[in-house]
Amino acid sequence: MQYTYHITPEDFIALNIYFAENDPVVKKSFQKLRMGATMLVFFGGLIFMLALNMFTPLAVVVYGIVAALVYVFLPRRFYHSMRKNVERTIRNASSKSICGEKTFVMDEKTCSLIGEDENSSYEYSAFSKVIPDKEDIYLFLDDVSALIIPNRAFADDQARENFLTGISAKIEAAKTEISANSAVDKSDNQV
């Protein structure tokens, strides 16, 4: 099977946002940042009012509202900043192969990604997981790097589902084969 498509900066941004929203370490770090910023605004404001001898119930209410606004709007600011940083990375990248025309070819034992300044081949066992998202399918090679297959690479939803089923089966079969070979190697070493 062969799929030809164009990777846009939006696809690359979507992968980074997906990662930030779903990686446990990033989520935990962001939640700590969010709580810390909220507490800093609230308690920092109250300490400031105490230092100025202007501490009143109104100050508590005002800094409480400001802290709540920080808590609510910080994610929007975070993702806006992330989007801008990814766009800057794409613009300034020394390798222009991040975006552009790509062809993903699936053979029996391997798959290949061919594009501008890129010709990579992967055994199916190299993929750690397949994640279907709203607009794209991510074929993760490890915890942070993935191949992007946009939904527009498929003629329709059925073709997308067939791709997902096919590649998931090939990945599972490759991993099962490696496990079986590993078990045979262990038993040969024990004899």
Side-chain angles (χ1 to χ4, degrees), residues 124-125 127 129-130 139 166-176:
Y124 290 107
S125 60
F127 296 104
K129 58 188 171 186
V130 177
L139 305 175
I167 197 152
S168 295
K170 287 181 183 290
I171 291 169
E172 189 60 39
K175 290 186 181 200
T176 301

Side-chain angles (χ1 to χ4, degrees), residues 97-113:
S97 66
I98 294 173
C99 298
E101 197 72 26
K102 308 282 183 194
T103 301
F104 186 77
V105 181
M106 293 174 57
D107 294 328
E108 203 55 41
K109 296 284 183 191
T110 62
C111 58
S112 302
L113 183 64

Side-chain angles (χ1 to χ4, degrees), residues 131-170:
I131 304 291
D133 199 28
K134 298 174 290 229
E135 298 296 323
D136 302 306
I137 296 171
Y138 305 125
L139 305 175
F140 276 88
L141 294 163
D142 53 36
D143 289 340
V144 295
S145 58
L147 303 181
I148 304 169
I149 313 289
N151 288 345
R152 62 186 170 279
F154 308 104
D156 54 28
D157 288 342
Q158 186 59 46
R160 180 181 188 268
E161 289 305 314
N162 291 344
F163 172 81
L164 282 169
T165 303
I167 197 152
S168 295
K170 287 181 183 290

Side-chain angles (χ1 to χ4, degrees), residues 168-188:
S168 295
K170 287 181 183 290
I171 291 169
E172 189 60 39
K175 290 186 181 200
T176 301
E177 183 179 328
I178 287 175
S179 295
N181 290 341
S182 177
V184 169
D185 289 345
K186 284 182 183 179
S187 66
D188 287 346

